[in-house]
């Protein structure tokens, strides 16, 4: 019984420290679970093909707003919030983003942490590592209420 208690206490102390550290040195990146979607899957940090830097602004825009990727390519998105408001980047199909934006309007305080999204405080940087496993046009958007509706959306074309 005592040994079990010691192991449980040790796990409670060590588990929050088990984090990967991104290249940005601003925000620790949690180890993400493997997730499969219609637009790809959680990327392997050791197999990143290239890094794409994206800036989010209070003008409700992403820069760049259009990205091209190859099927099977793993991208590391380094997402900088240059604004004074909280922003996020969420990858998905347009239908996924529209449905999620609707939920965010109904439940603006809802918390979620999927590997295809990052929430970035003003002046900070976040990261997404994603592998695009299918060809097609996919999107990314800021789903904070009002931001998506104001045009804060981008496109990923996978060839």
């Amino acid at each position: 019984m005592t040994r079990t208690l010691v192991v449980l206490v040790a796990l409670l102390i060590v588990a929050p420290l088990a984090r990967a550290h991104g290249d940005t040195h601003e925000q620790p990146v949690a180890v993400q679970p493997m997730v499969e979607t219609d637009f790809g899957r959680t990327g392997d940090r050791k197999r990143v093909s290239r890094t794409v830097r994206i800036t989010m602004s209070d003008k409700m825009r992403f820069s760049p707003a259009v990205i091209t990727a190859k099927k099977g390519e793993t991208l590391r998105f380094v997402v900088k919030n240059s604004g004074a408001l909280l922003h996020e980047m969420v990858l998905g199909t347009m239908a996924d983003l529209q449905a999620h934006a609707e939920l965010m309007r109904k439940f603006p305080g809802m918390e979620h942490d999927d590997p295809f999204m990052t929430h970035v405080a003003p002046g900070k940087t976040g990261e997404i590592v994603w592998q695009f496993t299918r060809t097609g046009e996919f999107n990314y958007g800021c789903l904070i209420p009002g931001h998506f509706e104001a045009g804060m959306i981008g496109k990923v074309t996978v060839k």
Side-chain angles (χ1 to χ4, degrees), residues 119-136:
H119 310 276
V120 187
K124 300 294 181 185
T125 302
E127 185 176 289
I128 299 171
V129 177
W130 195 254
Q131 182 181 26
F132 291 95
T133 56
R134 296 191 175 130
T135 59

Side-chain angles (χ1 to χ4, degrees), residues 1-13:
M1 176 84 166
T2 303
R3 185 183 305 180
T4 303
L5 184 58
V6 168
V7 170
L8 286 174
V9 170
L11 285 174
L12 289 173
I13 293 169

Side-chain angles (χ1 to χ4, degrees), residues 6-100:
V6 168
V7 170
L8 286 174
V9 170
L11 285 174
L12 289 173
I13 293 169
V14 173
L17 301 175
R19 298 168 93 58
H21 191 61
D23 292 340
T24 63
H25 298 288
E26 290 189 32
Q27 173 181 337
V29 179
V31 176
Q32 294 290 337
M34 179 57 74
V35 172
E36 291 272 346
T37 69
D38 290 340
F39 53 92
R41 66 175 163 226
T42 307
D44 181 345
R45 294 182 177 285
K46 296 175 186 165
R47 297 178 186 242
V48 169
S49 304
R50 65 187 164 110
T51 297
V52 176
R53 297 187 182 285
I54 296 179
T55 302
M56 301 181 288
S57 75
D58 291 346
K59 292 181 181 179
M60 303 303 158
R61 296 294 182 260
F62 289 99
S63 180
V66 178
I67 297 165
T68 302
K70 295 176 187 170
K71 180 181 174 184
E73 187 173 25
T74 300
L75 299 182
R76 173 184 288 119
F77 293 98
V78 176
V79 188
K80 171 89 173 149
N81 182 348
S82 66
L85 303 171
L86 175 69
H87 291 293
E88 66 181 8
M89 179 177 161
V90 180
L91 291 166
T93 65
M94 183 56 80
D96 292 337
L97 295 180
Q98 289 170 336
H100 194 149

Side-chain angles (χ1 to χ4, degrees), residues 98-115:
Q98 289 170 336
H100 194 149
E102 180 62 31
L103 277 175
M104 292 288 289
R105 282 190 292 278
K106 290 179 182 175
F107 307 102
M110 77 185 241
E111 292 185 27
H112 42 276
D113 187 28
D114 291 306

